[in-house]
Amino acid sequence: MCGIVAAAARREVSEILLEGLRRLEYRGYDSAGMALIDNEHNLQLHKQQGKVCELEKAQKLHPHLGCTGIAHTRWATHGEPSGANAHPHISGQRVALVHNGIIENHAALREELLASGYEFSSATDTEVVVHLLHQALDGGKTLLVALQETVRRLEGAYAIAAVDVEHPDQVVAARKGSPLVIGVGIGENFLASDQLALRQVTDRFIFLEEGDVVEITPSSMQIYDESGVPVERKRTLISEAVEVVDLGGFDHYMLKEIHEQPRALAATYAQAATHPHIDDCFGAGAARVFDRVKAIQIVACGTSFHAGMVARYWLEELAGIPCQVEVASEFRYRKRVTHADSLLVTISQSGETADTLAALRNAAGGEFIASLVVSNVANSSLVRESDLVFLTKAGMEIGVASTKAFTTQLVGLLMLTLALGRRRAMSEEKQQEVVAALQSLPDYVQQTLELNSVIEELSGAFIPKHHALFLGRGIEYPIAMEGALKLKEISYIHAEAYPAGELKHGPLALVDDDMPVVAVAPSDDLLEKLKSNLEEVRSRGGELFVFADQQAGFVSEPRVKVFPMPHCPEVIKPIVYTVALQLLSYHVALQKGTDVDKPRNLAKSVTVE
Ligand code: M6R
């Protein structure tokens, strides 16, 4: 999604800004731009639709140089992807501004600015902000005060950075609802929407808080809170090396990330061995919270929501603790009745998903005894704002389609089940069984990866199809949902998941010889029931693709293709089967020629609601 990089330095910063944008590219965007104040105090602008490399080409052709600048990657919300709608937006050749988020009252502000004589050259919500800032500056305010006044007029979510040719060594910025971090340099300072963009120039960061407004120059920085009072914010040293991210011989990040799962799963579970007690993997104070908790409320979006749905089966069945799961975009706006002594669990790969973050904030104030986040990104907003934290060890995930982040989240959630279960219904024997299953998980995932060529061969059958149905029962139902999401997201084939028992209540009407039906078959008590559901599909001419335990008694026959999955412990089946479905989507997308790592219209980190 949109990315911001800004610099106030004594050296030329165009390359720093471009490198920052390159580091944010994986998040997804459709246009990019950069504005610099040159040494004659003129605003120099490059912006265009397309990739950062196009911006680099423009910069090579017509170099713009300066020591103060702002840059942006835009993921279109208001106004189509185009050069005109790309950021930075400028006002009167004086002010340039970049923005992440959505200004909800932009229409009213636009009317007002039009009436004051401002002209608009884009269809964005952002352009009102740069004109408002310009208007305040024209009234004689300093850049900082002008921004403070401007943001008071805004409704919605924003991270903003702006420069003004009349304050040529300053960058001002503000955040509310979208992340922004200061990178502290020596004789230079930076801003970005993600610290990753600045790891090339510093390892010292200040994460801004809601409502903060900041002014940076090469030699100073001043932060003000929402009410305009100067404040100090904590400095964080991030010393671990930035992960080297390359394709490592794979054709796509998604494929690489699928293959990294045995290592990532082992590393995530290994935290249990490096802490004296499993509770400690969730942060200081976890034991006290876990002793008190009587119910769990999970909130997340997309794939992370599916992880929550799987966890509900584990938490209720194994740990005997009531658990509810809801998508964050619904949870945050709903009047709720919460069980006494509930723990709020948010799940988010990025730790920055706007709805999940808003749900956490909205639940503050005594509704829950504490909040716990399961995230892959240390120092992300959700991590900083939650009471307890479980960090998955997936390593950086670049592919927009979440793979290793999902399976490592499941490991974290199974560890949570163990931590809570030992206090409740879970026998010592059952705990040992789950621990053994978690230890063996990387091997079973490896065995599944070895089915790659079989799955690749099968995937050809999906290429001419426009729709697909995914079925599962019990804990495999959320895995069917995740399989359907993966397929639709990267191959653009419309896919829906149903609990197999729901088939007769509607979706069976869709089944004909043009509708592939993918079944995630368990080998537990529900197997016989699933077999009957599949029979219903077959007798209506549907083509079946069954991912089944090699000992479950499924055999391939005309119009039924069976994928013999490793016979593994029941509790880890959702994780193991997911890997096969990831490979299926990957191969279908590959053959359809879609952009596997950056599917159209999607972003890696969804920082707007
Ligand atoms: O970073 P998060 O886990 O909070 O992201 C939530 C969803 O946006 C994400 O899982 C999305 O559904 C993925 N693209 C799915 O592959």
Side-chain angles (χ1 to χ4, degrees):
M1 211 146 245
C2 301
I4 290 176
V5 192
R10 296 198 178 96
R11 56 174 163 156
E12 205 286 306
V13 295
S14 62
E15 188 39 47
I16 294 174
L17 297 180
L18 285 169
E19 175 58 20
L21 293 187
R22 281 192 283 269
R23 288 168 181 241
L24 297 179
E25 274 194 295
Y26 78 98
R27 300 165 72 115
Y29 67 104
D30 46 55
S31 53
M34 171 169 80
L36 291 150
I37 299 180
D38 70 14
N39 55 15
E40 279 154 12
H41 299 178
N42 294 314
L43 212 47
Q44 301 290 356
L45 185 70
H46 278 309
K47 59 176 191 167
Q48 59 200 73
Q49 190 178 347
K51 303 284 177 200
V52 174
C53 60
E54 301 301 323
L55 192 65
E56 284 170 54
K57 278 187 205 151
Q59 168 74 357
K60 274 206 184 93
L61 218 55
H62 299 289
H64 290 336
L65 305 176
C67 300
T68 307
I70 53 177
H72 193 258
T73 45
R74 172 177 188 255
W75 186 85
T77 56
H78 295 62
E80 57 177 13
S82 69
N85 290 336
H87 301 203
H89 290 285
I90 58 169
S91 186
Q93 285 306 320
R94 176 177 175 182
V95 196
L97 178 141
V98 290
H99 162 228
N100 291 356
I102 291 176
I103 305 301
E104 286 166 3
N105 58 338
H106 71 100
L109 292 171
R110 184 180 272 250
E111 287 307 313
E112 182 189 313
L113 285 157
L114 283 168
S116 313
Y118 280 94
E119 285 176 9
F120 283 77
S121 52
S122 79
T124 64
D125 53 333
T126 300
E127 200 178 348
V128 297
V129 189
V130 74
H131 293 318
L132 279 179
L133 183 62
H134 183 247
Q135 198 174 48
L137 283 165
D138 263 0
K141 310 269 169 17
T142 64
L143 182 55
L144 179 87
V145 172
L147 184 64
Q148 283 171 322
E149 246 178 38
T150 300
V151 295
R152 262 180 234 127
R153 311 260 347 253
L154 306 180
E155 287 164 22
Y158 53 79
I160 288 166
V163 291
D164 167 23
V165 294
E166 294 189 18
H167 297 83
D169 64 345
Q170 289 179 19
V171 180
V172 289
R175 76 152 283 193
K176 196 172 201 172
S178 292
L180 202 59
V181 62
I182 300 177
V184 184
I186 300 170
E188 53 191 15
N189 287 305
F190 307 91
L191 284 154
S193 47
D194 183 332
Q195 49 86 16
L196 261 185
L198 300 176
R199 295 296 295 282
Q200 39 155 340
V201 281
T202 185
D203 55 6
R204 290 173 301 151
F205 296 95
I206 298 173
F207 292 93
L208 294 174
E209 294 186 10
E210 282 297 269
D212 282 355
V213 179
V214 57
E215 174 197 287
I216 60 166
T217 70
S219 55
S220 68
M221 78 181 64
Q222 187 63 62
I223 307 168
Y224 299 84
D225 71 10
E226 198 160 10
S227 52
V229 176
V231 282
E232 289 289 326
R233 299 282 183 225
K234 191 175 123 213
R235 288 185 184 214
T236 306
L237 181 71
I238 303 185
S239 48
E240 72 263 27
V242 182
E243 222 177 302
V244 181
V245 183
D246 58 28
L247 283 167
F250 288 90
D251 289 339
H252 295 95
Y253 283 108
M254 181 182 179
L255 189 61
K256 179 185 175 225
E257 287 158 4
I258 290 173
H259 280 83
E260 280 171 349
Q261 288 176 111
R263 182 211 54 76
L265 296 165
T268 301
Y269 182 59
Q271 297 180 92
T274 54
H275 289 92
H277 195 281
I278 195 160
D279 293 349
D280 304 328
C281 301
F282 299 86
R288 247 174 301 119
V289 173
F290 292 171
D291 284 345
R292 265 187 71 195
V293 63
K294 294 207 176 69
I296 304 281
Q297 171 70 62
I298 297 179
V299 177
C301 301
T303 287
S304 297
F305 167 70
H306 296 155
M309 288 199 50
V310 173
R312 183 171 63 158
Y313 287 87
W314 286 331
L315 286 161
E316 295 207 339
E317 237 170 87
L318 301 174
I321 188 161
C323 176
Q324 304 207 47
V325 192
E326 191 163 358
V327 287
S329 52
E330 290 298 318
F331 177 87
R332 64 180 286 195
Y333 289 117
R334 196 167 64 77
K335 280 212 176 84
R336 304 175 292 262
V337 178
T338 303
H339 282 281
D341 295 326
S342 283
L343 172 67
L344 176 68
V345 178
T346 58
I347 309 171
S348 173
Q349 186 286 129
S350 62
E352 300 293 352
T353 298
D355 281 321
T356 313
L357 189 57
L360 171 69
R361 289 178 180 158
N362 162 298
E367 183 182 352
F368 294 92
I369 56 169
S371 59
L372 161 68
V373 64
V374 176
S375 179
N376 195 34
V377 182
N379 291 305
S380 58
S381 300
L382 275 156
V383 167
R384 292 198 313 277
E385 294 185 30
S386 298
D387 302 315
L388 303 176
V389 175
F390 181 89
L391 284 178
T392 51
K393 297 291 171 191
M396 199 165 160
E397 191 178 68
I398 302 286
V400 164
S402 191
T403 53
K404 59 179 182 170
F406 174 68
T407 50
T408 54
Q409 284 167 351
L410 290 178
V411 168
L413 292 162
L414 192 48
M415 289 167 71
L416 177 66
T417 306
L418 275 174
L420 295 172
R422 54 177 284 280
R423 293 170 158 84
R424 304 171 71 92
M426 209 169 178
S427 66
E428 183 62 36
E429 197 189 345
K430 192 73 194 170
Q431 289 174 48
Q432 291 312 323
E433 202 182 302
V434 174
V435 165
L438 278 164
Q439 285 163 342
S440 65
L441 176 62
D443 285 345
Y444 288 114
V445 168
Q446 190 55 48
Q447 288 174 39
T448 307
L449 291 172
E450 281 151 26
L451 293 173
N452 186 42
S453 47
V454 187
I455 295 173
E456 181 178 4
E457 208 183 304
L458 141 98
S459 62
F462 287 76
I463 308 308
K465 309 292 185 195
H466 296 101
H467 308 276
L469 204 57
F470 283 66
L471 301 178
R473 266 189 176 266
I475 199 165
E476 312 302 348
Y477 166 51
I479 297 308
M481 292 171 78
E482 174 58 11
L485 175 63
K486 221 81 308 173
L487 187 71
K488 74 180 98 167
E489 152 175 64
I490 62 168
S491 75
Y492 315 151
I493 292 175
H494 169 229
E496 292 303 333
Y498 276 91
E502 276 292 292
L503 207 55
K504 293 192 215 49
H505 302 287
L508 199 53
L510 295 170
V511 173
D512 60 13
D513 58 4
D514 207 28
M515 171 72 91
V517 178
V518 178
V520 191
S523 59
D524 56 13
D525 320 344
L526 294 174
L527 181 63
E528 288 312 316
K529 293 190 191 302
L530 182 82
K531 281 184 174 163
S532 326
N533 299 140
L534 298 185
E535 232 7 86
E536 289 158 9
V537 171
R538 209 159 69 102
S539 54
R540 278 147 188 98
E543 192 174 2
L544 278 163
F545 299 88
V546 185
F547 289 81
D549 190 309
Q550 50 195 219
Q551 296 184 7
F554 280 99
V555 278
S556 289
E557 50 190 292
R559 300 193 70 75
V560 181
K561 181 86 187 116
V562 177
F563 291 86
M565 295 293 292
H567 178 62
C568 65
E570 209 58 51
V571 70
I572 55 168
K573 270 194 178 143
I575 307 178
V576 175
Y577 281 47
T578 294
V579 176
L581 297 180
Q582 293 168 349
L583 286 170
L584 173 66
S585 307
Y586 173 77
H587 287 298
V588 174
L590 193 66
Q591 292 180 60
K592 290 201 75 181
T594 57
D595 189 344
V596 173
D597 285 333
K598 293 186 183 128
R600 68 185 180 202
N601 307 337
L602 298 181
K604 183 68 188 159
S605 178
V606 183
T607 49
V608 291
E609 73 170 295

